[in-house]
Amino acid sequence: QVQLVESGGGLVQAGGSLRLSCAASRSISSTDTMGWYRQAPGNQRELVAVIASGGSTGYADSVKGRFIMSRDNARNTVSLQMNSLEPEDTAVYYCNLRRSSWGVRYDYWGQGTQVTVSS
């Protein structure tokens, strides 16, 4: 079992920046896929950014060029640097760890951190 704890959310004006962090209670393996998701009221949870086991990164079109995800396996943390924030980025942001073991996939989620961008 892995527990994930997000931090860094808050209220920011449009055009501002925030940095989210996610700390894992146990070691993050280089084979784990780490992701950031978000969910706005009335919307489904959507993928924002991901770092795959091979180290490649992917971003939702809506955040490309504005958000940067990084991971530090030695410190068991992942971060999401969010720049040029827009009101549409307002949502609860969740950290996700996806791990495969013996053909079984496990998904771990944090409790979420609120990001509110005012216009």
Side-chain angles (χ1 to χ4, degrees):
Q1 189 77 5
V2 179
Q3 293 181 334
L4 303 173
V5 178
E6 302 99 336
S7 61
L11 173 64
V12 64
Q13 288 188 331
S17 299
L18 281 175
R19 184 177 180 86
L20 305 183
S21 294
C22 172
S25 61
R26 306 184 73 171
S27 296
I28 297 177
S29 168
S30 59
T31 59
D32 294 331
T33 295
M34 302 298 301
W36 284 97
Y37 291 72
R38 67 186 180 187
Q39 187 168 18
N43 291 355
Q44 291 187 334
R45 190 172 296 188
E46 63 175 358
L47 178 65
V48 175
V50 63
I51 297 182
S53 58
S56 59
T57 56
Y59 299 92
D61 288 342
S62 59
V63 306
K64 279 182 182 176
R66 300 188 297 122
F67 290 11
I68 300 172
M69 182 177 179
S70 60
R71 66 190 284 173
D72 186 338
N73 292 341
R75 298 187 178 188
N76 302 325
T77 59
V78 294
S79 299
L80 184 67
Q81 178 65 43
M82 306 187 295
N83 302 318
S84 302
L85 283 162
E86 304 168 352
E88 292 74 21
D89 296 317
T90 295
V92 178
Y93 284 71
Y94 297 91
C95 178
N96 170 261
L97 183 155
R98 177 164 293 178
R99 174 175 293 170
S100 294
S101 178
W102 297 98
V104 179
R105 192 179 75 186
Y106 300 89
D107 273 300
Y108 300 97
W109 295 92
Q111 82 288 350
T113 185
Q114 177 70 47
V115 171
T116 303
V117 184
S118 62
S119 57

